[in-house]
Amino acid sequence: MAAKRKVREITKIRRQDILTAAEKLFSQKGFKGTTTKELAAKAGVHEAVLFRHFKNKRDLYRATVELKLARNRPATLEQMENAADQRDDRGFFESLALGLLTRFEEDASIPRLILHSALDGHEPPRVVAERQLRVEQPTLDYISKRMRDGAFRKIDPHHAVYAFGAMLFGYIVRQQILGMASHKKHDRKKVARDFVTIFLEGMKK
């Protein structure tokens, strides 16, 4: 029993080492620019070990993206749900904005991975669409509910989701990808508040 437990622990550690290596290399070189040989070397394992944990490079890339997108998301979702229960529009959208900005600013490899994924086109469109829709669903549900309440103007709720997301991701690309963060850093909470103000002023009747 102890031997099996030790094997499981080693396996878990190796998988984490592989994912850590993948995060660094994929964010720097993209999917096409990274080889499985480089990934194995970076993780300190034999290439064969890589394929024991992930069936191919595409599977590893997908696992890397999913892992990064999940960071701090449960806490953010809980805050959003609490605000939604109280119909606290500002609380809902500030929780969403601050959670995303925190995740992306503290780990600039996330937007890079997302952009590499889109530009390299290595993931099937269905996979990308399913992931994006899953991420957007809580916001879509809340906006739709507030429209039914009469609090938000009647527009296509999907368009409202796209608009809010575009503000946040556009800011992240400007700061982290284009390098404007080295020119001027902004207070994260103030950015979230200002973006939410702009959004809600356009949405409220």
Side-chain angles (χ1 to χ4, degrees):
M1 184 67 72
K4 288 184 178 179
R5 189 181 302 113
K6 186 174 182 180
V7 169
R8 286 197 296 269
E9 289 174 357
I10 292 173
T11 299
K12 184 178 179 180
I13 291 170
R14 281 182 175 169
R15 180 183 174 85
Q16 186 55 55
D17 288 342
I18 293 169
L19 284 167
T20 300
E23 288 180 10
K24 293 178 181 177
L25 288 176
F26 282 141
S27 64
Q28 292 170 357
K29 306 175 74 172
F31 177 79
K32 293 180 180 178
T34 303
T35 67
T36 54
K37 185 176 180 180
E38 289 175 315
L39 287 165
K42 186 75 172 176
V45 300
H46 192 278
E47 201 168 357
V49 174
L50 200 74
F51 294 115
R52 288 192 201 127
H53 292 272
F54 303 94
K55 61 183 180 181
N56 52 43
K57 187 171 73 167
R58 193 184 304 275
D59 187 44
L60 173 56
Y61 192 96
R62 189 171 301 136
T64 303
V65 174
E66 294 286 353
L67 179 66
K68 281 184 168 289
L69 289 176
R71 285 177 184 159
N72 97 355
R73 184 163 170 75
T76 297
L77 284 173
E78 183 177 356
Q79 293 170 356
M80 290 165 62
E81 288 170 5
N82 290 337
D85 289 341
Q86 300 173 42
R87 286 174 166 72
D88 177 2
D89 300 332
R90 178 165 289 278
F92 181 91
F93 287 102
E94 283 192 10
S95 295
L96 170 59
L98 195 56
L100 188 145
L101 291 177
T102 299
R103 188 157 61 246
F104 282 21
E105 287 185 333
E106 291 183 355
D107 187 353
S109 68
I110 299 178
R112 292 181 183 278
L113 282 169
I114 292 172
L115 290 173
H116 274 306
S117 177
L119 294 172
D120 290 349
H122 69 276
E123 288 188 299
R126 175 185 56 79
V127 172
V128 177
E130 286 177 355
R131 180 168 60 226
Q132 189 62 28
L133 290 172
R134 187 170 67 249
V135 169
E136 292 173 348
Q137 193 62 50
T139 310
L140 180 64
D141 290 343
Y142 183 74
I143 289 174
S144 298
K145 180 175 71 175
R146 295 300 280 151
M147 286 181 181
R148 291 193 298 271
D149 290 342
F152 287 173
R153 65 178 68 247
K154 296 285 186 180
I155 62 172
D156 188 323
H158 294 87
H159 296 169
V161 173
Y162 305 157
F164 192 67
M167 277 198 296
L168 295 169
F169 196 68
Y171 170 78
I172 289 297
V173 169
R174 181 183 188 277
Q175 294 297 103
Q176 305 299 327
I177 306 299
L178 300 183
M180 294 303 290
S182 61
H183 174 67
K184 183 178 180 180
K185 293 186 178 180
H186 300 271
D187 180 84
R188 188 183 299 157
K189 291 183 178 180
K190 188 176 188 306
V191 171
R193 285 196 304 270
D194 287 349
F195 280 12
V196 170
T197 296
I198 293 168
F199 179 75
L200 290 180
E201 286 298 314
M203 288 299 296
K204 289 187 175 178
K205 297 176 72 173

